[in-house]
Amino acid sequence: MQQVLLPIIVSLFGNLCIGIIKYALVPMIARGMMLGADQPVILHMLDIPPTTKALNGVKMELVDSAFSFLKGVVATTDIIEGCTGVNIVVMVGGFPRKEGMERIDVITKYVSIYKSQASALGKHAAANCKVLVVANTENTNALILKEFAPSIPERNITCLKRLDHNRALGQISERLNFQVSNVKNVIIWGNHSAIQYPDVSHVTVETPYWDMPVVDLLADDFINTIKQRGAAIIGARKLSSALSAASSVCDHIRDWVLGTSEGTWVSMGIYSDGLYNVPAGLFYSFPVTCHNGEWTIVEESYYKRYGKNFVYSIFWSYLN
């Protein structure tokens, strides 16, 4: 007899109607890209009052799409209703970064928003709720969330680095002419955008004969290409990344909940406990594996090859 799966409640916070990432993300979740094609979901969509009419229009579209495993949709501007009983929260909404803007230009716009949302989540979300912070500046926003939602374990708050991780995988695939599914173990250290460090020292490409290292095969512009990819997309589209960002959100949650493949690690922004000499108390991107809904930092490879000081130097460049 087939096991009946209970619905998982996924809540999306902020700017649903005008936020292009969130609008791209909604059908991906409903179709099973985040939690699996056989996992029922109930979707909570939390937005601001001026968007009520358009928010209900998005709900109408979801109903019209007739997704088999979408078991309910709550479209609301009430923060308590949006938070009540939720198992997974994706904090997408934020001030849109525009061409020429730096992260520091938007960082001050989030503090009051995240304070109120953190308080509501702490009081009304389900036990063991998992939270993914997407909106730039996600490391700082995750820290704000942690400080104002002390009932949510710090291990249950992460921030998105998978977009940069996937960008690196895609560039390796395109430049070396291998299928992206055969490329594994990129690492994104630090933060997002220009102050990240894309690391290919442990990347291999699976071939019919062996797993081939790629560190010596990539051109010198590879790192800067990944760092500036978001700005390049804004320059081309006059809008920030949407489809790739939404897809990376699904990848992040899926691996966190369902587990990473054997021998493969992914990049996640997590709360540092001091490993790799990154000071404790910061959200920082590390290589991790996931199993049974928990992440574990990959340790031994870098201790053996580079030692702690390599990552420590990246940390200080991340601050400066």
Side-chain angles (χ1 to χ4, degrees):
M1 182 176 179
Q2 188 175 7
Q3 181 183 5
V4 177
L5 297 175
L6 296 176
I8 292 176
I9 303 177
V10 180
S11 188
L12 305 182
F13 280 19
N15 292 19
L16 177 67
C17 307
I18 60 173
I20 54 175
I21 296 175
K22 204 165 177 186
Y23 189 72
L25 179 58
V26 165
M28 294 183 184
I29 297 171
R31 196 173 290 279
M33 289 180 62
M34 176 179 282
L35 295 168
D38 59 347
Q39 173 60 60
V41 296
I42 296 172
L43 192 58
H44 286 200
M45 303 183 300
L46 176 66
D47 215 316
I48 55 177
T51 65
T52 298
K53 187 174 181 180
L55 179 63
N56 286 324
V58 176
K59 180 177 179 179
M60 292 164 63
E61 287 197 83
L62 286 168
V63 172
D64 292 349
S65 297
F67 294 110
S68 298
F69 285 89
L70 182 60
K71 299 304 181 183
V73 180
V74 175
T76 184
T77 61
D78 181 85
I79 192 167
I80 294 176
E81 184 179 19
C83 292
T84 299
V86 296
N87 306 110
I88 294 171
V89 178
V90 183
M91 305 185 78
V92 183
F95 185 82
R97 179 185 168 205
K98 299 177 182 178
E99 189 172 6
M101 292 183 68
E102 295 296 329
R103 290 163 59 85
I104 193 63
D105 299 325
V106 298
I107 194 171
T108 58
K109 296 185 179 290
Y110 294 109
V111 174
S112 61
I113 296 172
Y114 273 73
K115 281 183 180 180
S116 62
Q117 292 178 347
S119 177
L121 279 174
K123 294 176 181 176
H124 301 287
N128 206 34
C129 173
K130 288 178 165 56
V131 184
L132 170 61
V133 179
V134 176
N136 279 329
T137 53
E138 64 270 32
N139 289 43
T140 303
N141 291 339
L143 189 60
I144 295 169
L145 177 67
K146 176 195 171 295
E147 292 302 316
F148 290 95
S151 63
I152 299 177
E154 59 197 33
R155 290 186 58 85
N156 285 22
I157 300 173
T158 64
C159 51
L160 186 70
K161 307 302 168 191
R162 189 60 173 268
L163 176 56
D164 297 305
H165 183 101
N166 286 354
R167 285 169 173 168
L169 292 176
Q171 283 295 306
I172 294 168
S173 169
E174 187 171 59
R175 292 175 182 225
L176 301 184
N177 197 28
F178 285 96
Q179 292 295 313
V180 71
S181 58
N182 292 337
V183 184
K184 66 179 183 179
N185 294 348
V186 163
I187 304 171
I188 303 297
W189 297 101
N191 208 320
H192 174 59
S193 194
I195 50 177
Q196 63 175 284
Y197 185 83
D199 181 358
V200 297
S201 299
H202 293 276
V203 173
T204 59
V205 175
E206 183 181 351
T207 75
Y209 310 104
W210 71 91
D211 286 354
M212 181 180 70
V214 306
V215 64
D216 296 324
L217 303 179
L218 297 172
D220 292 340
D221 68 338
F222 174 81
I223 289 176
N224 282 334
T225 297
I226 305 306
K227 288 184 175 184
Q228 300 298 328
R229 187 67 165 183
I233 289 171
I234 291 172
R237 296 186 66 231
K238 309 305 178 186
L239 294 167
S240 60
S241 304
L243 292 176
S244 56
S247 179
S248 68
V249 168
C250 289
D251 291 343
H252 178 113
I253 295 292
R254 184 183 62 249
D255 285 342
W256 191 6
V257 173
L258 302 180
T260 49
S261 301
E262 183 71 26
T264 300
W265 59 66
V266 295
S267 303
M268 292 175 63
I270 57 178
Y271 192 67
S272 172
D273 63 358
L275 196 61
Y276 290 111
N277 276 354
V278 174
L282 296 175
F283 279 88
Y284 191 91
S285 182
F286 292 92
V288 304
T289 59
C290 300
H291 183 66
N292 289 336
E294 299 289 341
W295 51 260
T296 302
I297 296 177
V298 176
E299 299 183 38
E300 291 301 319
S301 59
Y302 255 81
Y303 282 130
K304 290 178 180 177
R305 184 164 182 176
Y306 293 105
K308 297 180 183 179
N309 288 335
F310 175 77
V311 182
Y312 195 48
S313 67
I314 295 172
F315 164 73
W316 285 110
S317 67
Y318 156 77
L319 288 183
N320 299 319

